[in-house]
Amino acid sequence: MPTPLKDLVSQLRNGRDKHPLSQETEPVGEPIPEPVAAIDGGSSMLWSNGRRSIGVVRWGYVVYEPTFEIRCARTHSEFLLVEEGSEQLDEARHRREVETICEAASHARYVLVDGALDASSGPLLADVLHDVTPETTVVGVSKKSSLSATGGDYPETWYSLPPRTYVLPTMARERESALPDTTLSFTSLHALGPTLRIDVAGDLERALRVARHYAGYRLCPGYPFPLIEAHRACCLDDKKHIYETMLQREMGRQGLLRDYVRGKKRGERTAYEIHTVLDGLV
């Protein structure tokens, strides 16, 4: 017999309530105004025939002065032909973001990256961190994380911390994906901000104070503003049509315009897949 919905939700609620809130927190010190570089990237699948797909990756960085002026910014993009259903597009985007750390580090002593600093991304990140530290501090900022200090049903980022504090959970020092000389924390950078997972290759306390300097943006308090700007520069939501037009023109030039129309991506499906047509009739 199916489990009633109220019982499923009750199990989830019990798992949330069991989370220990007794972990000791440390205050994030007063903001330190330092220049920072922020890196982000994006990817999007444009076309598929069910076996091969064409997508685009876009990545780059922006360098901010403590006065919130942009010193410089760089973005790059690349079309890729990949196997349908593979993770190649996301892997390529992440690899290019990691490789950009070295370039960004030539402009600022603090480099913010969107995402965690851990071994799950392969050996490249560890090699890059080895090359740029200790002269440069690299800070990985994650809005989402599946890590739970207790192994419970809710990750740490779902729990609110006291304003402008951080926690160093015990499990963070034991995690299998830890990179050498990195520290993992769960941090609140603003009284109205979320709990973030922040990994630091370098001095954790000083890095958090530098990040806090940029965390007062009213529309997104608690999240370092340079990463928001890097996201805006690399996000494909408002730029995808540019790359679709480029692909359409090139496939048309080579006699594949009908193929382009048939395989153009609309969300997770192609434009003329039978389910796309049927869903339009509902």
Side-chain angles (χ1 to χ4, degrees):
M1 185 174 180
T3 304
L5 177 59
K6 66 176 183 178
D7 292 344
L8 296 179
V9 176
S10 178
Q11 292 176 33
L12 191 63
R13 176 60 186 264
N14 290 338
R16 189 186 198 284
D17 291 345
K18 288 179 181 178
H19 186 275
L21 299 176
S22 59
Q23 295 187 85
E24 293 186 8
T25 59
E26 298 289 339
V28 176
E30 290 301 308
I32 297 178
E34 285 266 10
V36 300
I39 298 171
D40 202 1
S43 61
S44 181
M45 201 65 75
L46 304 176
W47 180 91
S48 175
N49 67 5
R51 289 184 59 84
R52 306 299 296 277
S53 302
I54 295 177
V56 63
V57 294
R58 184 180 172 94
W59 70 99
Y61 65 91
V62 59
V63 180
Y64 259 84
E65 298 287 356
T67 54
F68 285 80
E69 296 174 296
I70 296 176
R71 184 197 303 171
C72 64
R74 300 283 187 276
T75 56
H76 311 274
S77 60
E78 181 180 354
F79 288 97
L80 294 173
L81 181 64
V82 300
E83 298 292 334
E84 174 67 14
S86 74
E87 300 296 324
Q88 289 177 279
L89 202 62
D90 283 338
E91 291 171 359
R93 171 193 54 77
H94 181 70
R95 185 169 63 253
R96 284 154 178 76
E97 289 180 34
V98 171
E99 292 169 345
T100 302
I101 292 175
C102 293
E103 182 180 349
S106 67
H107 296 282
R109 292 174 51 208
Y110 289 85
V111 176
L112 311 180
V113 299
D114 180 34
L117 304 181
D118 61 31
S120 62
S121 56
L124 177 60
L125 178 57
D127 292 340
V128 169
L129 294 181
H130 180 269
D131 290 341
V132 301
T133 55
E135 290 82 6
T136 300
T137 297
V138 181
V139 184
V141 181
S142 302
K143 301 175 287 296
K144 297 186 294 183
S145 172
S146 61
L147 290 180
S148 170
T150 62
D153 295 332
Y154 272 73
E156 297 298 309
T157 52
W158 279 66
Y159 295 96
S160 298
L161 287 173
R164 296 176 292 277
T165 63
Y166 68 93
V167 174
L168 295 174
T170 302
M171 67 90 194
R173 305 185 186 99
E174 302 169 350
R175 70 193 198 282
E176 293 181 1
S177 60
L179 288 175
D181 302 318
T182 63
T183 306
L184 184 154
S185 71
F186 294 104
T187 306
S188 165
L189 294 174
H190 190 281
L192 301 178
T195 298
L196 303 170
R197 170 182 170 172
I198 298 185
D199 302 68
V200 176
D203 185 328
L204 172 70
E205 293 185 22
R206 185 174 177 86
L208 295 181
R209 294 173 67 186
V210 171
R212 182 183 166 190
H213 175 73
Y214 295 94
Y217 182 47
R218 292 183 180 180
L219 295 182
C220 196
Y223 190 71
F225 183 75
L227 279 172
I228 298 175
E229 195 67 27
H231 175 80
R232 289 176 58 194
C234 298
C235 174
L236 285 162
D237 289 354
D238 61 339
K239 307 174 187 68
K240 182 178 179 180
H241 68 282
I242 299 172
Y243 297 99
E244 288 176 332
T245 300
M246 294 170 67
L247 178 60
Q248 178 182 352
R249 287 176 178 172
E250 184 56 31
M251 291 185 73
R253 190 182 70 82
Q254 297 193 36
L256 296 175
L257 184 57
R258 290 174 64 90
D259 291 14
Y260 170 79
V261 173
R262 183 173 180 178
K264 180 182 176 181
K265 279 283 194 176
R266 286 185 181 171
E268 296 299 315
R269 297 174 178 168
T270 53
Y272 286 93
E273 183 180 340
I274 185 64
H275 284 97
T276 306
V277 177
L278 292 176
D279 288 351
L281 301 176
V282 175

